[in-house]
Amino acid sequence: MYTCQKADEYIEKNRVDRADKPEFHLTTPVGWLNDPNGFSIYGGKAHLFYQFHPYSTEWGPMHWGHSTSDDFIRWEELPTALAPDSDYDAFGCFSGTAIENDGKQVLFYTGVVEEKLADGTKNVIQNQCMAVGDGISYEKISSNPVVDGKIMPEDCSRVDFRDPKVWKDEDGRYYMLTGNRTYDGIPQVVLFSSDDMYNWKFESVFAKDETGRFGVVWECPDYFEMDGHKLLIVSPQDMSADGEFHNGNNVVFFIGDVDEENHIFKYEKAVSVDSGFDFYAPQTIRTPDGRRVMIGWMQSWDSVNTLPRGQKWACMMSVPRELMISDGKLIQTPVRELCGYRQNKLVVNDTLRGEKTYEGINGRVIDMTVDIKKADCGHFTMHFAKDEIHETNVSYTPGTQMLEIDRTFAGWIRDTNCVRKVKIKNGNGLSKMRIVMDWNSIEIFVNDGEQVLSTVIYTPRNAQDIVFETDGCVELEVEKYDLNI
Ligand code: FRU
């Protein structure tokens, strides 16, 4: 039997030393982490729950871990918030939302159970459940599940029916959007409404894709308005690469409009949120000062079993990002609070020919911006986290306007996908890159956040060099800070 208390006792005995983990990318105290859950502001702090399996570095019966922060960068560990301890969630407490109501913090999550079918076989069933708490501990309500999949139209899958996003709308009612598919494989999100959070009715199939472009199941929906646009974020499984998106699980940002009467979202534009290897299942919040901040799981489901031997924590969150829409384009930048941790500013202006290192431009926990003023070359490459054996290369080819990450030598022990190429979208090529590195990650914000590429690395910590290299001539300015968290 799993309980929060049992999890916390296990954590107490097995907690991983902070020095063996990333500095500011949220990880578990020990064990496995996937999606961010319940990202919210409550009691004056940012709360971040997450899919959590304390007992191993692999996915298992899902708990909700819990942390809070004053600035999205330094996280404080709280007790385990949910454990799969009830008959309606015995197979796991899957992803969901936190929302404030009457001074309480209310969690909505997916309760997963196994059901015996008439023919004797077993089936996974997912329903939406609720727990109420004070910001530290939570009690599941006695009438769970609050949304039973049986209230959906018959063609909506009850096997893939998860990840409730709940919000209170301007009309005073509560809405819940959950990931879903039809039994014949059309990915969709379904909408429910309620006057009191406890009694829900089915409203609509809010959005779906019948073209086959956007995978087979939509997970982890988020929906909000920003800069005058209606936005739907989903995490589809099983997509095929098409120039904008890569193979496998992606995160899709739909910009669109809503038929308010029928509760139907129509998209006008679909953009990839992260063109790197590792970003999935994000959630967003609106901060008290009016920003839209997003955090995602910095991992790909296709490369999860690749930890270096002996590592006792698995997976981390991305750096939280501020979102904006400008000229119809999605812009993402690291939360501004990160700049508060910058130290040791170094600026280098150079005309690069051949291969070079610059004194002080190195390290693994850094925030660095590279301004490319002119690139007369076949390629311009930066080698990060480098020693004699290791490196992760970021290479730009002006002739094709392609940017490539190659993490082949980043310390993998499995034959993981290591090369990704993306086209710079703006038509004018690469002019700027902001590179945020923590011990186990590199996040690249291209051209002031018009594109982002995230990757996990498992490179030994003493690989600290950064080498700049070109076959022609590149005029550049580098501004580099250490991050001291
Ligand atoms: C997405 C996801 C969710 C689910 C959770 C389970 O990564 O598959 O749909 O709630 O992970 O851990």
Side-chain angles (χ1 to χ4, degrees), residues 34-35 51 59 62 94-95 162-163 219-220 237 280-281 297 301:
N34 57 292
D35 314 357
Q51 291 286 279
W59 190 89
M62 280 290 112
F94 278 17
S95 291
R162 57 181 175 270
D163 312 334
E219 302 187 301
C220 303
Q237 292 179 342
Y280 197 61
W297 180 43
W301 277 115

